Amino acid sequence: MTLEKVDLKKARKTLFTAPPGRFVPVTAPRVSYLMVDGHGDPNRNPEYGRAVKSLYSTAYAAKFACKAKGTDFVVAPLEGLWSASDPESFAARRKDEWDWTMMIMLPDEVDEEMVRAAQAKAREKLGTLPESLRLATLDEGLCLQALHIGSYDDEGSLLASLHHDIMPAGGYDFAGPHHEVYLSDPRKTAPEKLKTILRQPVR
């Protein structure tokens, strides 16, 4: 018998689609994630690569645990929450100032017990895992969201427009960290063709 496979990109389509280069309002529901925290330039800090590898290893272990129980899911794209004491550092791309939480969305069926078992499997494979690796929920509510096509370093002008024009004009204030959803695999996609959802929780 073929298992039904949950694809969160389809089941929660609103969170993975947006018009290119144009911010629109969306309401993000409460969602479960695997999360790992860190700080600094992801291109230079080796902890970033370790965090991402640990997330994927744990997510795939959770997937196989689900299959053993009769369900299955597609491992969702990598996502990241980015924050800094000065929001201008995003538009200016001052990456050494950034705090980050890298994440992979999970179906609601994956609970704490399954994640602990998946962590144990991932630890067998990788040796150690970041201490901050955990199952947590995110409930962002009202957000402004756009699709950026191009290099991550070219996001600055779109974010500057969001911060200086769109949010002030709409009477919005920041209500959470800058959120990115990486729809493309940078190992297989040319920088100018990368697709990234940019999301900003607002109030």
Side-chain angles (χ1 to χ4, degrees):
M1 186 176 71
T2 303
L3 296 179
E4 181 180 355
K5 184 179 291 189
V6 175
D7 187 341
L8 295 174
K9 286 178 66 177
K10 296 178 180 177
R12 298 169 179 164
K13 187 176 179 180
T14 303
L15 301 180
F16 295 94
T17 56
R22 181 168 63 88
F23 281 94
V24 295
V26 299
T27 300
R30 186 181 180 90
V31 178
S32 295
Y33 286 95
L34 283 175
M35 297 184 178
V36 177
D37 303 322
H39 174 81
D41 186 340
N43 297 315
R44 296 191 203 175
N45 185 352
E47 290 303 309
Y48 177 84
R50 179 170 173 254
V52 172
K53 187 178 293 187
S54 297
L55 282 172
Y56 275 110
S57 185
T58 305
Y60 274 101
K63 168 188 170 70
F64 295 135
C66 280
K67 288 183 73 171
K69 291 188 174 184
T71 62
D72 194 8
F73 66 91
V74 178
V75 173
L78 183 69
E79 305 185 35
L81 301 179
W82 302 87
S83 59
S85 56
D86 178 9
E88 290 297 318
S89 70
F90 292 112
R93 316 311 287 170
R94 299 197 303 267
K95 299 178 184 181
D96 288 338
E97 301 175 13
W98 298 354
D99 292 309
W100 42 262
T101 298
M102 304 314 296
M103 315 185 297
I104 292 179
M105 187 185 293
L106 294 176
D108 295 335
E109 293 76 18
V110 179
D111 59 19
E112 228 19 284
E113 182 180 350
M114 294 175 71
V115 167
R116 282 196 295 270
Q119 286 175 304
K121 289 285 188 183
R123 198 173 288 112
E124 288 176 11
K125 179 180 178 181
L126 300 178
T128 60
L129 298 176
E131 289 185 7
S132 63
L133 179 61
R134 65 197 182 278
L135 175 66
T137 57
L138 191 63
D139 190 357
E140 292 175 304
L142 179 62
C143 301
L144 297 176
Q145 180 167 291
L147 175 66
H148 170 71
I149 301 176
S151 166
Y152 303 134
D153 286 332
D154 291 339
E155 295 173 6
S157 59
L158 187 56
L159 293 176
S161 174
L162 173 68
H163 297 167
H164 299 304
D165 302 321
I166 298 168
M167 288 177 61
Y172 295 114
D173 198 0
F174 293 95
H178 170 68
H179 189 160
E180 297 191 351
V181 183
Y182 305 105
L183 301 178
S184 306
D185 185 341
R187 298 170 301 176
K188 303 175 182 177
T189 309
E192 65 273 14
K193 294 183 179 180
L194 291 170
K195 293 183 177 181
T196 308
I197 294 290
L198 306 182
R199 182 183 307 149
Q200 178 57 58
V202 295
R203 55 173 174 261

